[in-house]
Structure formats: C-alpha cells, structure tokens
Amino acid sequence: MNITEFFELSLGRWRSQRSGHHLAFAHFEESLSTIDIVPLDCGDEAVIEVCKTNDINPQDITHPFRMTWEGESDWDDKALAGTTVLVSVPDLANPAQGKLLRDRGYAETVNAAGRYTFGDDGVFTLITGCDRAGAEERIWFANPNVRFRVATIKSSDGNGITTASFPSEIRSLSNS
Amino acid sequence: MNITEFFELSLGRWRSQRSGHHLAFAHFEESLSTIDIVPLDCGDEAVIEVCKTNDINPQDITHPFRMTWEGESDWDDKALAGTTVLVSVPDLANPAQGKLLRDRGYAETVNAAGRYTFGDDGVFTLITGCDRAGAEERIWFANPNVRFRVATIKSSDGNGITTASFPSEIRSLSNS
C-alpha cells in the first residue's frame, strides 16, 4: 500500500469503537461514534482557507478531505460531535512524508499542522506539537474495511504520556 | 531504535491496562494485569526445548526471554495468568526481521512460530498463522517507559477481524 491508497481507503463512513486509557489512574473510557470522511475539491473554499492560514500554495496539496464525527462516551456521558478539514502537503523529495494541515475552527489558537510519515509496514504516523508536548497518532488498515488508530497525548511538562486512545473502526457498508 | 534496543527495552515489569474490542458486537472488555519480561540464557533448558521443537540451531537465536502475566478481566470476571518462553531467530540477511518462536505449553497444538519485522518507524509487527486465519500484533514504545500494543485475531473463514485488543503498558519502577 502507498500513501495515496492509504488516503483513498480512509474515505467513507466508519463505525468507531474507541477505548480511552488515562494511564496514571488506569481509568477506562468507552465511546462509540460514526465517522464520515468525504473527499473535498482542491478548490473548495474551506481547503483554500486552510492553505492561506498556513501559508501553503494550494497547488502543493493532495487529498483534502472533511472528517465529521458524532457519538457518545461513557465519560461524563458527554456527546461527541465535530467536523474538521484536513489537507496533506507531501514533501517534494518524498511523498511518503509531509505536513498535515488541519482546520481546528476559530475556537482553537494552537497551530494545527502536524508531520506525517508513511512506513513500509503500512503505518501512517502523525506527530503534532513540539517534542515536549503534543500528540502522536498511528493509523493502519488490518484490511480494506477495518482501520485501527492509536492516539497518545504527551503532557506539557514533557515527562510522560497522559492518555492513550484506541479506536477500532469498521467500514459501514450501508448508508444508514 | 534498532531491534536489539527494542528487545532490551521490553525487559522488566509492566503494568498493563488492556481494552478488548469484539468488533461485530461493539462489545468492550477491560482488564488490568502485571507483566514480567525476564531475559533467559541461550542455554536455558526451556529455550533449548523451544529450539528443538522448531528444528532451530540454538546458535541462530537472540534475545530469549520469559513473559509471565497475571491479572483480571471484567469479561466473565475471569482471572488471567500464564507464562511463555519466546525466542527470536533473526534472518541472516536482515536482522530487523525473522521468526519468533513461542513455547505455548503442552495444551496447545498450533504451531506457534510467527514472523516479525521491525520498521523504520519503530513498530515491531508480528504475524502468526496463515493468511486466512491468525493473529497480528504491533508493538511500539512511546518512550522508554510506555509501551503500546495492538493485537488482532482474524477469523478462520478469512473474511474478517473478530477481535482487537489494545494494551497500554507502563513500566513499573518499583518491584512491588
């Protein structure tokens, strides 16, 4: 699998079953959600806006898409819902790595650009933030209809990982 | 990190927080356990036995170790405990991949040898069984004291993944 196939396989509707681990307290969180990943046109207004904010030429991007999620968690019974636009900017020298830009909405002030690499083992690794604080996510396909992710948040003091989450995702073949 | 550092970092006592996902039913399982990974001598009796069973010359092996686990699951309140001996047999041409042999005890009849590869992204991938049925496990370190694993079981009809589990593991710095 190459990076283009990886992005294309990600498109569609996914049923996501997610476990969150709060490592210091060995606390478990469970959530279920539906995730829609829809390709966007490179000329889409939201895509152009992400490029502008990050000072990127829209001609250098590939695979812009919108991700929308909706679900529920047993942690405080909170509802989960959101939408974001993601845009990849592959390195010229090596398209298996690059920047992933993200529209995090006007409520967020953090720079939402991350670095990704796509390994020979089919694992897409995304690192957001600096060395001492930030997030790392690994995503891979077990088969074309099953996708796994592990996301970790590092604490701002740089001493450790505070939370890890594991969503396992099954492609929803119906549209309901 | 190289494969030798990977094996050496794995040694020690780990507190493991594990989520199991039964994908078809979106069922969650939670368990907590303690895992001890102790290096063995290449001449250890149990190591020699694993080599014999698999027709491997003990001179071709590296990093034999014993893994012992003990814990509890909320799935049927079952107690989890066990011990196994693992022996790696790196390929001569490329030590970043090879066979991983396993002593599964006299109750198991399945051939317990798996193939591993260690990627540039620091992910150790182990595949056990044939294409249509078997298990895949990915293991990596977030930092020297935090280890993640994702293990998946493929159904015997080859059509899908039946279960996935996510253990997040923190090194236990005390001996208690």
Side-chain angles (χ1 to χ4, degrees):
Chain A
M1 188 186 300
N2 63 35
I3 182 76
T4 296
E5 290 164 337
F6 175 85
F7 279 120
E8 288 173 353
L9 260 188
S10 298
L11 301 174
R13 168 164 285 195
W14 299 90
R15 179 167 68 75
S16 179
Q17 176 179 3
R18 177 185 169 281
S19 290
H21 292 183
H22 298 253
L23 299 188
F25 307 103
H27 177 81
F28 290 91
E29 177 186 355
E30 298 177 354
S31 56
L32 294 171
S33 60
T34 300
I35 299 174
D36 285 295
I37 301 181
V38 178
L40 295 176
D41 197 88
C42 286
D44 186 281
E45 202 173 306
V47 174
I48 298 292
E49 185 59 34
V50 170
C51 290
K52 261 192 200 161
T53 311
N54 289 275
D55 206 16
I56 293 288
N57 185 337
Q59 300 204 327
D60 295 335
I61 70 170
T62 59
H63 307 102
F65 61 92
R66 177 178 289 280
M67 187 164 74
T68 305
W69 60 96
E70 192 171 353
E72 279 188 11
S73 166
D74 71 344
W75 179 253
D76 219 9
D77 286 328
K78 68 183 173 210
L80 306 167
T83 184
T84 189
V85 170
L86 290 120
V87 173
S88 66
V89 190
D91 290 352
L92 288 174
N94 179 4
Q97 55 188 51
K99 271 190 272 202
L100 191 69
L101 311 178
R102 184 170 180 170
D103 156 32
R104 294 183 77 175
Y106 46 80
E108 305 260 355
T109 54
V110 180
N111 186 333
R115 287 284 308 167
Y116 68 82
T117 55
F118 186 71
D120 289 343
D121 52 8
V123 179
F124 179 91
T125 301
L126 176 68
I127 294 174
T128 316
C130 65
D131 279 349
R132 296 179 64 80
E136 183 186 282
E137 185 162 5
R138 296 197 192 255
I139 309 175
W140 68 96
F141 288 87
N143 68 42
N145 297 319
V146 177
R147 189 170 91 137
F148 295 119
R149 294 192 284 150
V150 171
T152 56
I153 310 285
K154 282 195 285 189
S155 63
S156 58
D157 65 1
N159 281 330
I161 312 292
T162 52
T163 62
S165 75
F166 171 55
S168 62
E169 303 179 331
I170 301 181
R171 190 181 298 280
S172 181
L173 296 171
S174 70
N175 243 353
S176 61
Chain B
M1 187 187 300
N2 63 35
I3 181 77
T4 296
E5 289 164 337
F6 175 85
F7 278 120
E8 287 173 355
L9 261 187
S10 298
L11 301 174
R13 168 164 284 195
W14 299 88
R15 180 169 65 76
S16 178
Q17 176 179 3
R18 176 185 169 282
S19 290
H21 292 183
H22 297 254
L23 299 188
F25 307 104
H27 176 80
F28 290 91
E29 177 185 356
E30 298 175 355
S31 55
L32 294 171
S33 60
T34 299
I35 299 174
D36 285 294
I37 301 180
V38 178
L40 295 177
D41 197 87
C42 286
D44 186 282
E45 202 172 308
V47 174
I48 298 292
E49 185 60 33
V50 169
C51 290
K52 261 193 201 161
T53 311
N54 289 274
D55 206 16
I56 293 288
N57 185 335
Q59 300 205 327
D60 295 336
I61 70 170
T62 59
H63 307 102
F65 60 92
R66 176 177 291 280
M67 187 165 73
T68 305
W69 60 95
E70 193 170 354
E72 280 190 11
S73 166
D74 71 344
W75 179 254
D76 218 8
D77 286 327
K78 68 183 171 209
L80 305 166
T83 185
T84 188
V85 171
L86 290 119
V87 173
S88 67
V89 190
D91 290 353
L92 287 175
N94 179 4
Q97 55 188 51
K99 272 189 269 199
L100 191 69
L101 311 179
R102 184 170 179 168
D103 155 31
R104 295 182 76 176
Y106 45 80
E108 306 259 355
T109 53
V110 181
N111 186 333
R115 285 284 309 167
Y116 68 83
T117 56
F118 186 71
D120 288 343
D121 52 9
V123 179
F124 179 92
T125 301
L126 176 68
I127 294 174
T128 316
C130 66
D131 280 349
R132 297 178 63 80
E136 183 185 284
E137 184 162 5
R138 296 197 192 256
I139 310 175
W140 68 96
F141 288 87
N143 68 43
N145 297 320
V146 178
R147 189 171 92 136
F148 295 119
R149 293 191 284 149
V150 172
T152 56
I153 309 286
K154 283 195 285 188
S155 63
S156 58
D157 65 2
N159 282 329
I161 312 291
T162 52
T163 63
S165 75
F166 172 55
S168 62
E169 303 179 331
I170 300 180
R171 190 181 298 281
S172 181
L173 296 173
S174 70
N175 243 353
S176 60

